[in-house]
Amino acid sequence: MKDIEGGMMACGLCADPGRFVVETRPMPDAAPPGWALVDIAAIGICGTDYHIFEGKHPFLAYPRVIGHELSGHIVSGPDAGQLVVVNPYLSCGQCRACRRGKPNCCSAIEVLGVHRDGGMCARIAVPRRNLYPADGLTAQQAAMVEFLAIGAHAVARSGAGQGDVVLVTGAGPIGLGTALFARLAGAEVHLTDRSLSRLTLAQTLCGFDRLHGPDLPPLTGALSEGFDFVFDATGNAHAIEAGFPLLAHGGSAVLVSVVKDDITFSDSEFHKREARIIGSRNALKSDFERVMAAMRSGQISADALISQVVALADLPVRFPALVADRESIVKVLVTP
């Protein structure tokens, strides 16, 4: 991508729903004050990118350069050449959420690859505060930190830990990340998904063995009192609503995924349980650092989660098949 003559670079973008193309654009050679240029090393494809391709993303204007799961090398300055993970959530730094240390839910947040062009290109300018050193990781491992940080953040927000019984609904990449960090926190983790392929991947790649198909068995025996935490990573309103009756008394429903629909539940059952609903959005710097520490220590095997590595030049042909086959893959990485 980077050796195109005349300061041009290849960029991967969704031109319209169902049409992914690679086109050339000028390569940035300067960054605003407080920002840095980053040469992209690897890009992860996530559910958001699939939704953009399918025309299902509610907050996106086409054409859009996609890509927000990013690793790369800083171009210049005292840290030139440093491998970094890119935090793709650009916050304003001034709203109430930002002032209270919650830039992940900034009221004016912009996400790379969604609200503005992302990193499926050779070089991008990013605020320096959004760059985290990835010492000890490979470029491909570093590109997977962001999606795992989503789950790490959800678990941290929930307070789930030793002795808790947890159900994660949705065994895609975000659900797997949530399950991994719930397990690291000491919880007993169960997973459910309508896709047996995803459940098989959760078992073979990550060692989860408390697996349930789309029709959960009756809550009997050790599970008769329900789950202390139900994390939803499905993006499906019906699945979210089906999780409320599974809560134990004193339990919490953690909404990791987001839906446009209204969510309903029985108020009397909710109050009887003194339940909580917790929204979890994006991730904080501390979550990124927690993920990288888990990778370095070997508690999380990022390499095991790589399903395919695709060259950007091949992606226009490959993208439709990846969308159709995403239940049988965990993480696809795109490289220059």
Side-chain angles (χ1 to χ4, degrees):
M1 289 195 304
K2 300 174 186 177
D3 55 359
I4 296 176
E5 294 182 1
M8 303 295 286
M9 64 179 180
C11 299
L13 64 147
C14 278
D16 302 289
R19 188 163 68 97
F20 181 87
V21 300
V22 175
E23 67 175 35
T24 58
R25 292 186 177 184
M27 181 183 292
D29 57 7
W35 291 49
L37 294 175
V38 177
D39 281 340
I40 297 299
I43 310 109
I45 299 178
C46 86
T48 296
D49 301 315
Y50 294 135
H51 290 153
I52 291 171
F53 181 83
E54 293 173 315
K56 295 179 180 179
H57 200 288
F59 309 120
L60 187 122
Y62 297 88
R64 175 66 70 218
V65 177
I66 62 172
H68 64 272
E69 299 179 1
L70 309 170
S71 70
H73 297 89
I74 296 176
V75 172
S76 60
D79 49 2
Q82 168 75 59
L83 177 67
V84 293
V85 172
V86 177
N87 179 336
Y89 325 127
L90 309 190
S91 58
C92 72
Q94 300 173 353
C95 70
R96 183 168 182 80
C98 287
R99 297 197 309 271
R100 292 170 63 85
K102 300 179 179 181
N104 60 304
C105 56
C106 167
S107 61
I109 199 166
E110 290 187 300
V111 180
L112 296 177
V114 178
H115 304 97
R116 62 162 63 198
D117 283 341
M120 196 164 283
C121 55
R123 180 177 290 177
I124 191 171
V126 184
R128 278 192 170 271
R129 66 174 181 264
N130 286 61
L131 302 177
Y132 308 144
D135 299 326
L137 303 183
T138 67
Q140 292 186 2
Q141 291 168 343
M144 292 190 285
V145 170
E146 189 272 341
F147 91 84
L148 290 169
I150 300 289
H153 181 71
V155 173
R157 268 189 59 71
S158 74
Q162 194 71 40
D164 290 321
V165 182
V166 163
L167 176 67
V168 178
T169 61
I174 299 300
L176 280 181
T178 303
L180 286 166
F181 281 91
R183 184 169 67 185
L184 284 179
E188 176 185 302
V189 178
H190 297 249
L191 281 140
T192 182
D193 198 289
R194 63 179 177 80
S195 169
L196 297 181
S197 297
R198 284 183 171 174
L199 292 176
T200 300
L201 288 172
Q203 183 175 50
T204 58
L205 299 180
C206 303
F208 291 107
D209 55 10
R210 298 180 179 93
L211 307 173
H212 309 280
D215 298 317
L216 278 168
L219 295 182
T220 59
L223 298 179
S224 61
E225 295 182 297
F227 296 94
D228 300 301
F229 295 89
V230 176
F231 292 86
D232 181 82
T234 66
N236 182 285
H238 296 299
I240 293 172
E241 292 172 347
F244 291 120
L246 303 178
L247 287 174
H249 283 239
S252 300
V254 186
L255 306 187
V256 191
S257 64
V258 61
V259 297
K260 292 181 67 176
D261 312 84
D262 292 334
I263 302 299
T264 62
F265 55 88
S266 167
D267 182 67
S268 60
E269 288 295 322
F270 189 80
H271 272 79
K272 183 172 72 176
R273 289 167 168 78
E274 197 183 46
R276 296 187 302 165
I277 299 178
I278 301 171
S280 183
R281 187 181 187 194
N282 300 328
L284 294 166
K285 181 180 180 181
S286 58
D287 304 307
F288 282 78
E289 292 175 340
R290 186 178 302 111
V291 171
M292 287 191 280
M295 287 182 175
R296 294 184 186 109
S297 68
Q299 292 176 301
I300 299 258
S301 175
D303 293 338
L305 303 177
I306 301 174
S307 302
Q308 298 181 42
V309 179
V310 180
L312 176 58
D314 297 332
L315 202 52
V317 173
R318 298 285 301 278
F319 215 122
L322 294 176
V323 172
D325 196 37
R326 61 182 182 263
E327 286 191 4
S328 65
I329 55 181
V330 177
K331 183 55 56 179
V332 174
L333 296 178
V334 179
T335 65

